Amino acid sequence: MNAFLLLGIAILSEVIATSALRASDGFTRPLPSAVVVVGYGLAFYLMAQVLRTLPLGLTYAVWSGVGTALTAAVGWLHFRDTFHPAALGGIALIVVGVAVLNAAGGARH
């Protein structure tokens, strides 16, 4: 399977797990707590598979950048988190940075 597809699934799994972490209410709710454990387990397993093909720096930059942006979006849409305009600018810079890294050929080893 394509490494970038696996990375995308790993990121989605991590975002779901992180969202469930908030919903777990300090691990006091069993179902969200189980989603946290399974989601992070799957995310790290897939990340390990991706690292067999893609360089660590690129992989982690995409993982953290896209994961940060998606997690912030889930927080805003689902949990009604609010963001200062400067924070939104920072998230936009992260996304742009990941795009530039990929466009510059960061996937070479």
Side-chain angles (χ1 to χ4, degrees):
M1 187 175 283
N2 181 298
F4 281 104
L5 177 60
L6 286 179
L7 181 56
I9 297 168
I11 291 167
L12 289 176
S13 181
E14 186 264 338
V15 169
I16 290 167
T18 301
S19 302
L21 186 60
R22 176 146 179 203
S24 77
D25 194 29
F27 287 109
T28 61
R29 298 179 59 216
L31 183 58
S33 298
V35 171
V36 170
V37 173
V38 171
Y40 281 132
L42 178 61
F44 285 111
Y45 171 78
L46 292 173
M47 180 78 138
Q49 301 312 304
V50 169
L51 288 171
R52 298 169 111 186
T53 306
L54 298 178
L56 177 62
L58 171 75
T59 301
Y60 195 74
V62 173
W63 163 281
S64 60
V66 174
T68 297
L70 289 177
T71 301
V74 169
W76 179 66
L77 292 169
H78 184 71
F79 295 107
R80 304 292 180 222
D81 292 346
T82 58
F83 295 95
H84 187 277
L88 293 174
I91 292 168
L93 287 172
I94 291 169
V95 171
V96 169
V98 168
V100 168
L101 182 65
N102 281 301
R108 296 182 200 151
H109 358 328

